[in-house]
Amino acid sequence: MAGMETTSTTLRWALLILMDNPDKQEKIRDELLSVVGRSRRLTMADKPKLPYFVAAINELQRVANMLPFIFFHRCTEGTVIGGKFIPEDTLTFPQIFSVMKEDAVFERPEEFLPERFLAEDGKTVNRATLERMVAFGLGKRQCVGEGLARLEMFLVLGSILLHYRLEPTEPIDMTPQFGQVLNPKPFKCRVAPL
């Protein structure tokens, strides 16, 4: 259930964000069409040839960030975090939000900038930025469904963008609805065949 909910929510955010950034949507589509064309389906074998699209997926997951808090953790020993001492047996409540939206690595965090995940050549992965992208958590508690979620985002979103243009039919509202995850408000869009 968790994997289905988070992937479908990420896809809803992706549609909304791409409608709000039509220039980025077109850039992704241009890259997809140059690699895949219209005569075949997108496959995972195409991924290395689609650096901008892969960067856009990372940025979509950073911006969407529908799980700003992760489960409680207990410190097994006293430690110092950000100059503050955390005693042993203290319950902590890690916030992914603070990394994804307030980290200095993500300049202008309120903007959708897939380019931040690419080096200056526009093709090579920016490792420093990618290492700070913790949408799936870290370490032994990292989401076990990360691989499947990334695969689904790549294939589903890529297939949509290869065949359709996403256009808003009403003003775009990026205010999240709070619940177990941060959902976009219900919205309507025009899915225009290419």
Side-chain angles (χ1 to χ4, degrees):
M1 181 68 171
M4 291 186 323
E5 175 66 23
T6 53
T7 301
S8 65
T9 301
T10 301
L11 283 167
R12 288 197 317 273
W13 275 114
L15 300 179
L16 198 60
I17 293 164
L18 291 172
M19 285 190 300
D20 199 39
N21 294 274
D23 56 325
K24 309 290 185 184
Q25 183 184 156
E26 288 304 316
K27 188 169 180 176
I28 294 166
R29 183 176 297 102
D30 289 346
E31 183 183 65
L32 284 163
L33 287 170
S34 74
V35 172
V36 180
R38 296 192 188 276
S39 62
R40 68 176 181 87
R41 292 182 180 190
L42 175 67
T43 69
M44 291 306 292
D46 296 314
K47 191 173 180 180
K49 299 175 220 149
L50 297 165
Y52 189 80
F53 179 45
V54 172
I57 290 171
N58 283 320
E59 181 69 348
L60 286 165
Q61 290 172 322
R62 185 196 70 81
V63 172
N65 187 26
M66 77 216 121
L67 293 170
F69 304 103
I70 53 178
F71 302 108
F72 284 105
H73 295 285
R74 183 180 60 82
C75 289
T76 57
E77 60 185 55
T79 189
V80 177
I81 300 174
K84 306 237 187 248
F85 179 72
I86 311 295
E88 182 178 349
D89 289 326
T90 300
L91 289 179
T92 62
F93 197 39
Q95 297 179 14
I96 292 176
F97 189 89
S98 64
V99 176
M100 306 289 269
K101 305 282 187 179
E102 297 175 3
D103 193 311
V105 169
F106 300 116
E107 292 181 30
R108 302 186 335 248
E110 68 287 348
E111 294 181 43
F112 176 68
L113 300 171
E115 298 81 5
R116 74 175 82 238
F117 286 95
L118 296 171
E120 287 185 27
D121 66 5
K123 295 178 182 177
T124 308
V125 173
N126 179 339
R127 294 273 174 218
T129 305
L130 190 60
E131 287 173 3
R132 302 299 289 186
M133 219 302 258
V134 294
F136 295 95
L138 293 168
K140 65 182 178 181
R141 291 185 181 90
Q142 186 168 343
C143 175
V144 297
E146 178 179 358
L148 180 59
R150 288 188 182 277
L151 179 138
E152 289 173 331
M153 282 295 296
F154 180 84
L155 293 175
V156 173
L157 188 59
S159 296
I160 290 170
L161 294 174
L162 270 169
H163 300 287
Y164 304 98
R165 180 171 286 108
L166 307 168
E167 301 170 348
T169 59
E170 56 194 15
I172 295 172
D173 184 356
M174 301 291 272
T175 308
Q177 289 184 317
F178 291 88
Q180 288 186 349
V181 298
L182 297 180
N183 284 296
K185 290 181 178 177
F187 63 91
K188 293 179 183 177
C189 70
R190 182 170 183 265
V191 181
L194 297 175

